[in-house]
Amino acid sequence: MLDITLTVDGVTRPLAVDPRTTLLDALRERLDVTAPKKGCDHGQCGACTVLVDGRRVLSCLTLAVQQDGAQVTTAAGLGEGDGLHPLAEAFLDHDALQCGYCTPGQLCSAVGMLDEAGRGHASHATADVAAVPTLTDEEIRERMSGNLCRCGAYANIVSAIREVAS
Amino acid sequence: MSTPAMAYERATDVDAAVAAVAGRPGARFLAGGTNLVDHLKLGLLDPDLLVDVTRLPLREIEDVPGGGLRIGAGVTNADLAADPRVRASYPVLAEALLAGASGQLRNVATTGGNLLQRTRCPYFQDVTMACGKRDPGAGCSAIGGVTRGHAILGASEHCIATHPSDMAVGLAALDATVETAGPGGGRTLPLTELHRLPGDEPERDTVLEHGELIVAVTLPPPSPTARSAYRKVRDRASYAFALVSVAAAVDVRDGVLHDVRIALGGVAPKPWRAEQAEAVLRGAVPTAARLGEAADAELAAATAQGENAFKIPLARATIVAVLRDLLTEELA
Ligand SMILES: Cc1cc2nc3c(=O)[nH]c(=O)nc-3n(C[C@H](O)[C@H](O)[C@H](O)COP(=O)(O)OP(=O)(O)OC[C@H]3O[C@@H](n4cnc5c(N)ncnc54)[C@H](O)[C@@H]3O)c2cc1C
Ligand code: SF4
Ligand code: FES
Ligand code: FES
């Protein structure tokens, strides 16, 4: 077992982990932080997406020991104080969920994605990778393609993100 | 089920990382973990030590004196694709990176790990199936089985798997070189010589020895008149591995193809430099017919493995389409 410290949604959480433990299992099974969901456990669905030091990552494919000292933000920690994050509000307003299982991952991914877009990053949907892209619906879809929704709420997820982006 | 103990170390300098892995047959380097951690879960790998190389000072993209870029092995796929120098001067690389995986994965996947990711052959990933890449000498379940994603070039009777990386295909078309540090010292080799064809040793994906660490990838100076692009054909519009991909760079001077470089992905056990096609085009005036002849020359050696027969015409069409798009002015 190795001693590590994670700061999860602003709270410092020291713990001892077996090196094989993923960040997702450390959060869910050891720290009772259940906002990130385990969909596939193989990097294929995005349900486990969290922000690590502000960047969106898949918590199922990174070991907890590798994240020693990191600031981890889950969907539960996105809002300020008791309020919802504007993206979470927009998801509610736009009916951007049905069962809600993918939603925490969608929210963290969208926050990270908007930050990347804000810094001018291109995507596979960008015609000229050297230019600064505008966040069209096609761009939003491509950039969110790592988050699957089995309920197929995609159209409304795109509307919710578009509203917050503009 | 109890899992055997696995130790974890965080390397702080390159020599120590190399020594830690080289001295222990069961040790592995760990970078972003997006392939290796998956393999731990699938039971493909049972290391007794992981040496984390993500905190080594290998995260910079430096200008090379005289032109070119030196990319540290720890630079993430996202940071590399976002670098203004890559976007402006090496668009084929930015496009190849952005065509791979997802935003979350690219934020952690590294240059070194991307090159050394292993095949997505479904039998390789399933420990209940015989696979000579996983268990030397075990034979190959793919031959005669589900082969839709498998190789049409460079395969052997021992393994027909493809290399899954998009980035590596872009790098192959750019004449990149790979720099390593190893137990016997370091070396620099062309990217196209890093991966090997399976032959009768499918378990060896690359020429690297145990404990040899990739430290950097270097891009030669860009030609100011070159144009380049990457096109990936897959089962869905995003977040899927390539069935066929093409990276191409052309440099037209006085109406003639002064230089042309083509690399193929999804069709071979390694990023496949299309030298036969290049030979047909180099020094030639580009015409639609010539592009077709070039693709045919490359694919003359292509062999279908049952279900993947569609890849031969698909590769032909994709090679022609990418070149046609890069040469619109000349072909008009
Ligand atoms: C759902 C999914 C979809 C994907 N889609 C694509 C895709 O479309 N296109 C694509 O190209 N890729 C795709 N990938 C693969 C992804 O790009 C790779 O997993 C990633 O690039 C590996 O990098 P890493 O840093 O995480 O490597 P790790 O998983 O840490 O390591 C991979 C291997 O490289 C070795 N290694 C790592 N760094 C070094 C080094 N510096 N020197 C020597 N050895 C080293 C490790 O020991 C290990 O054997 C996908 C992955 C997933 C999970
Ligand atoms: S194609 Fe290669 S990786 Fe796939 S089962 Fe055969 S030997 Fe294994
Ligand atoms: S649970 Fe991590 S991507 Fe599906
Ligand atoms: S809302 Fe059910 S999976 Fe997305």
Side-chain angles (χ1 to χ4, degrees):
Chain A
M1 298 291 261
L2 294 168
D3 290 319
I4 62 166
T5 302
L6 300 172
T7 302
V8 183
D9 296 331
V11 182
T12 304
R13 312 282 302 262
L15 73 161
V17 287
D18 179 276
R20 289 179 180 263
T21 311
T22 61
L23 177 60
L24 178 61
D25 286 342
L27 291 170
R28 288 185 59 86
E29 310 294 334
R30 301 290 310 287
L31 299 177
D32 290 330
V33 174
T34 54
K37 300 290 182 270
K38 186 181 280 193
C40 65
D41 212 22
H42 292 286
Q44 298 171 352
C45 74
C48 66
T49 305
V50 296
L51 300 168
V52 170
D53 298 329
R55 298 174 72 147
R56 52 176 174 160
V57 309
L58 299 177
S59 59
C60 73
L61 286 187
T62 185
L63 299 178
V65 281
Q66 287 201 279
Q67 304 305 339
D68 185 17
Q71 299 276 341
V72 179
T73 307
T74 74
L78 288 175
E80 303 267 335
D82 288 340
L84 285 181
H85 187 277
L87 263 165
E89 293 279 7
F91 267 58
L92 290 175
D93 293 347
H94 288 264
D95 247 343
L97 61 144
Q98 287 178 41
C99 77
Y101 196 80
C102 71
T103 314
Q106 300 278 3
L107 289 171
C108 288
S109 186
V111 170
M113 182 279 276
L114 290 175
D115 178 60
E116 291 157 16
R119 284 184 281 130
H121 293 187
S123 85
H124 177 63
T126 311
D128 175 5
V129 289
V132 174
T134 38
L135 209 54
T136 59
D137 283 5
E138 193 196 352
E139 284 276 0
I140 294 173
R141 280 194 200 95
E142 162 58 28
R143 289 164 193 260
M144 292 296 294
S145 69
N147 292 83
L148 306 192
C149 174
R150 288 298 296 272
C151 300
Y154 295 111
N156 294 349
I157 292 171
V158 172
S159 319
I161 295 174
R162 187 202 306 122
E163 183 190 288
V164 174
S166 58
Chain B
M1 196 184 85
S2 74
T3 34
M6 180 188 82
Y8 168 89
E9 273 174 25
R10 201 170 287 139
T12 48
D13 77 86
V14 165
D15 292 344
V18 167
V21 173
R24 213 152 141 176
R28 292 287 181 278
F29 296 118
L30 171 66
T34 60
N35 198 220
L36 194 150
V37 173
D38 200 17
H39 286 181
L40 291 180
K41 297 183 194 187
L42 292 168
L44 309 189
L45 198 65
D46 192 11
D48 56 24
L49 170 67
L50 291 183
V51 176
D52 184 346
V53 295
T54 53
R55 300 196 195 187
L56 292 178
L58 302 174
R59 302 192 71 123
E60 302 293 319
I61 307 174
E62 300 158 333
D63 288 312
V64 175
L69 287 179
R70 184 172 180 275
I71 303 156
V75 172
T76 65
N77 291 177
D79 286 348
L80 186 55
D83 187 275
R85 294 161 292 184
V86 173
R87 291 170 69 177
S89 305
Y90 305 96
V92 66
L93 178 56
E95 290 174 16
L97 285 158
L98 294 170
S102 67
Q104 292 98 309
L105 286 158
R106 292 191 297 270
N107 274 342
V108 284
T110 63
T111 306
N114 188 310
L115 286 175
L116 298 181
Q117 63 173 301
R118 306 208 68 195
T119 185
R120 306 304 281 205
C121 171
Y123 301 103
F124 172 77
Q125 296 183 297
D126 178 349
V127 288
T128 66
M129 303 300 293
C131 166
K133 190 180 271 302
R134 204 178 55 238
D135 302 313
C140 173
S141 301
I143 295 173
V146 174
T147 57
R148 194 163 178 278
H150 289 78
I152 53 172
L153 291 163
S156 77
E157 59 186 334
H158 299 281
C159 179
I160 59 170
T162 55
H163 193 266
S165 169
D166 290 294
M167 179 193 78
V169 180
L171 290 174
L174 288 169
D175 277 337
T177 55
V178 176
E179 206 182 303
T180 70
R187 57 172 158 168
T188 299
L189 67 164
L191 183 115
T192 48
E193 289 173 21
L194 173 67
H195 300 93
R196 54 185 296 288
L197 296 179
D200 58 6
E201 283 181 296
E203 68 276 16
R204 289 181 58 214
D205 291 1
T206 72
V207 300
L208 301 186
E209 18 169 352
H210 183 70
E212 197 169 353
L213 179 74
I214 296 182
V215 292
V217 171
T218 299
L219 306 179
S223 159
T225 47
R227 287 166 259 166
S228 68
Y230 186 73
R231 184 147 168 187
K232 178 173 179 180
V233 185
R234 44 187 157 174
D235 279 331
R236 50 180 192 255
S238 190
Y239 207 18
F241 286 91
L243 292 168
V244 168
S245 73
V246 176
V250 298
D251 194 349
V252 182
R253 300 192 191 165
D254 305 323
V256 169
L257 275 161
H258 172 75
D259 193 15
V260 53
R261 285 176 271 151
I262 305 166
L264 310 180
V267 294
K270 58 182 283 186
W272 188 263
R273 191 64 187 262
E275 285 163 2
Q276 312 295 324
E278 293 175 9
V280 171
L281 295 171
R282 199 166 283 121
V285 174
T287 61
R290 258 289 156 83
L291 303 186
E293 283 164 32
D296 288 337
E298 191 61 46
L299 295 166
T303 313
Q305 309 279 351
E307 287 174 348
N308 71 353
F310 73 95
K311 282 192 179 184
I312 299 176
L314 185 61
R316 184 187 193 279
T318 313
I319 294 169
V320 170
V322 170
L323 293 170
R324 190 194 54 214
D325 289 350
L326 285 172
L327 296 164
T328 342
E329 276 171 46
E330 287 77 9
L331 294 170

